Amino acid sequence: MRIDILTILPELLESPFKYSIIKRAAKKGLAEIVIHNIRDFSTDKHKKVDDYSFSKGAGMVMAIQPIEAAINHLKSQREYDEIIYTTPDGVQFNQQEANGLSLKKNLIILCGHYKGVDQRVRDHFITKEYSIGDYVLTGGELAAAVIADSVVRLIPGVLSDETSALTDSFQDHLLSPPVYTRPADYKGWKVPDILLSGNEKKIDEWKHLQSVERTKKLRPDLYKKFSEGG
Ligand code: ADE
């Protein structure tokens, strides 16, 4: 998979992709993340990428020209499955969306900024608009990093234990069960006996029950989906 990220703040995205799983995915040739500075595509003599809004008091808006040039440049090199825009007024991103995107080959993510992007960009280029939550970030870069991370780790071969992505929280609308490591008794705080029993079947049953109970208590919205089988 290849993900091209268009941003006016490339520095903000350098470190998230330099480390951990994403770096391993790049090394194995399973995922390539390429960051582009939108400013490089501006035809303005000062390399401007924004301008005043036509509606009074609405702040600066990201202009269409450099974004169109960047997208067309990329599209001339390969076909893209989705062109994503990160924005607080997008559809809420979740595990199901990540699963869908992990099956794609080439993605573009456009990071929003200021008061948003000229609506014509959204109308004519963008195929998916995502929010990562009901709060406003200073820019869409962190949202793009969240989306790219959650998608790349699902590509087969990226995680060393193939099954671990399948047992993540949210995959079946359930939160993960609690986990423990040694020591089994830390200052009197004990690991549940069942986990020390060696009975795999009973342990699996316990883990499932814990997941269900946790979800019911902490995320009634997810629990509803789980109990409806959705
Ligand atoms: N840009 C600013 N806030 C955002 C959010 N919550 N999700 C995605 N992009 C954003």
Side-chain angles (χ1 to χ4, degrees), residues 48-65:
K48 244 170 67 138
V49 288
D50 61 335
D51 214 329
Y52 292 98
S53 168
F54 277 117
S55 22
K56 268 212 185 104
M60 303 299 274
V61 175
M62 286 172 76
I64 189 167
Q65 179 277 317

Side-chain angles (χ1 to χ4, degrees), residues 114-197:
Y114 308 118
K115 279 288 169 189
V117 68
D118 189 307
Q119 182 59 36
R120 290 166 292 184
V121 170
R122 299 171 76 159
D123 293 343
H124 298 289
F125 295 107
I126 301 300
T127 59
K128 281 188 186 287
E129 302 186 329
Y130 287 127
S131 162
I132 59 160
D134 287 344
Y135 40 80
V136 180
L137 303 164
T138 48
E141 282 74 14
L142 296 179
V146 165
I147 292 169
D149 186 291
S150 66
V151 169
V152 167
R153 64 189 291 286
L154 293 172
I155 298 170
V158 168
L159 297 183
S160 42
D161 175 1
E162 275 275 22
T163 61
S164 68
L166 296 174
T167 56
D168 283 343
S169 277
F170 306 116
Q171 283 296 9
D172 46 11
H173 301 304
L174 286 176
L175 301 180
S176 293
V179 291
Y180 297 87
T181 185
R182 285 181 293 187
D185 184 341
Y186 184 74
K187 297 181 179 173
W189 297 328
K190 294 202 174 103
V191 169
D193 287 339
I194 181 81
L195 292 178
L196 311 175
S197 69

